Amino acid sequence: MRSSIFGALLLASALIALPAAGQSAPFNEAGVTMGHWHLASKDVEANKKLFLAMGGKLFMPGGTPLIMFPDVYINLDLANEKGEGGTEGSVVNHVGFTVDNFRARVAQWKAAGVTVIPGNDQLPQAFVETPDGVRMEILEDKTQPVPVRGEQIHLYLLEADVPKAEAWYVRTFGGKAGIRNGAPVVDIPGVQIRFRNVESKQAPTRGRVLDHIGFDVNDAEAFARKIEAEGTHLEEPPHKVGNGSTTFYITDPWGTRIEIIERGPLGPEVGG
């Protein structure tokens, strides 16, 4: 009996230690894990339909629609703003998922009405675009235990800015620098930040359909003090919002707007 009670207590404590809803990767030593992509959708219902067809789950924290996938949340509404411009031409050129079985997932999505755009014929690669132009790369990871999960954010930068951006994401978010396909990357729990050289400076994300990305932290106030001491400008002090989250915004030196959030409860899954 005692061993059963002790085991139950250990399980309960482990669950409490997990990030919100148990869907996020564990926090790293800097107290950071991947959070969300935030869309200022032109058509919230069309985007909701797309992400649900791809296997997401719908929540309504604070009364606004949020789609949950393992390793990423996708907010569909931004205070009723309507973004102008998709990801092409933006510093965040595209984001992406991995799937456990490329052929099976693509077939499943097509049957559900998702338009899948072919990618490199030599790879299991494709793209899906939201109705308002957010481009998402689809790759395969046969080792993952879930059908689909958030995987990457791909930044397009001038060549001289890539090493600076790599160092900034390592320092600011406790990321781990690495190399993928000969190009630098930064791994943060739940996401890989990738960099590509381009010849012209790309537009900032603010005001586009993909208005900003976000990272979850385990202590927003402490994280704000840390990055402010490192020279990062806070657009506002950390503050509470509708569902009990604590949040604030920064922008990286290349125009990627970033929300930092100590996430409150999501509430029940809608329709789950």
Side-chain angles (χ1 to χ4, degrees):
M1 176 65 75
R2 286 184 178 179
S3 61
S4 298
I5 293 172
F6 181 67
L9 288 172
L10 282 178
L11 176 60
S13 63
L15 291 172
I16 290 168
L18 290 173
Q23 70 90 43
S24 300
F27 294 111
N28 65 12
E29 292 180 2
V32 179
T33 189
M34 180 56 200
H36 65 283
W37 314 330
H38 205 133
L39 279 55
S41 299
K42 291 180 177 296
D43 188 334
V44 171
E45 289 304 314
N47 282 325
K48 183 193 302 182
K49 180 180 178 181
L50 171 68
F51 287 117
L52 291 176
M54 293 175 68
K57 298 180 179 181
L58 176 63
F59 293 82
M60 294 290 291
T64 58
L66 176 149
I67 303 291
M68 186 185 81
F69 289 91
D71 290 343
V72 70
Y73 302 104
I74 304 170
N75 292 82
L76 301 182
D77 184 57
L78 183 60
N80 296 316
E81 292 184 26
K82 306 299 179 189
E84 292 298 331
T87 50
E88 186 175 358
S90 166
V91 61
V92 178
N93 178 272
H94 60 275
V95 290
F97 293 101
T98 53
V99 295
D100 61 341
N101 184 314
F102 184 81
R103 289 182 181 275
R105 297 302 155 214
V106 167
Q108 180 185 46
W109 293 349
K110 286 182 176 179
V114 176
T115 299
V116 180
I117 304 165
N120 186 336
D121 290 339
Q122 305 304 311
L123 299 171
Q125 181 201 47
F127 292 88
V128 173
E129 286 192 5
T130 70
D132 36 22
V134 174
R135 190 167 175 84
M136 299 174 288
E137 185 178 14
I138 312 300
L139 297 170
E140 185 179 62
D141 179 0
K142 290 182 179 294
T143 68
Q144 71 185 39
V146 293
V148 55
R149 68 175 186 87
E151 189 249 357
Q152 61 157 303
I153 296 169
H154 212 134
L155 306 184
Y156 278 27
L157 303 171
L158 298 177
E159 183 175 1
D161 287 334
V162 169
K164 299 173 188 176
E166 179 187 18
W168 189 86
Y169 277 89
V170 167
R171 182 184 70 249
T172 305
F173 298 108
K176 305 296 183 185
I179 299 290
R180 178 185 181 274
N181 294 337
V185 298
V186 174
D187 286 299
I188 298 167
V191 70
Q192 186 171 84
I193 309 295
R194 297 177 184 161
F195 307 97
R196 179 173 176 176
N197 301 341
V198 289
E199 294 183 357
S200 58
K201 185 176 175 61
Q202 303 295 286
T205 61
R206 183 73 178 104
R208 299 180 80 92
V209 175
L210 180 54
D211 179 272
H212 62 272
I213 61 173
F215 293 101
D216 282 19
V217 297
N218 56 14
D219 187 332
E221 295 279 356
F223 192 79
R225 291 192 296 270
K226 167 196 169 313
I227 63 173
E228 198 167 30
E230 294 169 348
T232 298
H233 170 69
L234 309 187
E235 295 182 10
E236 58 196 354
H239 59 279
K240 292 282 187 184
V241 293
N243 71 324
S245 297
T246 301
T247 180
F248 64 96
Y249 287 88
I250 62 175
T251 300
D252 78 12
W254 305 276
T256 308
R257 194 170 192 231
I258 302 169
E259 183 177 9
I260 309 299
I261 181 166
E262 183 180 342
R263 193 174 297 275
L266 296 183
E269 180 186 350
V270 177

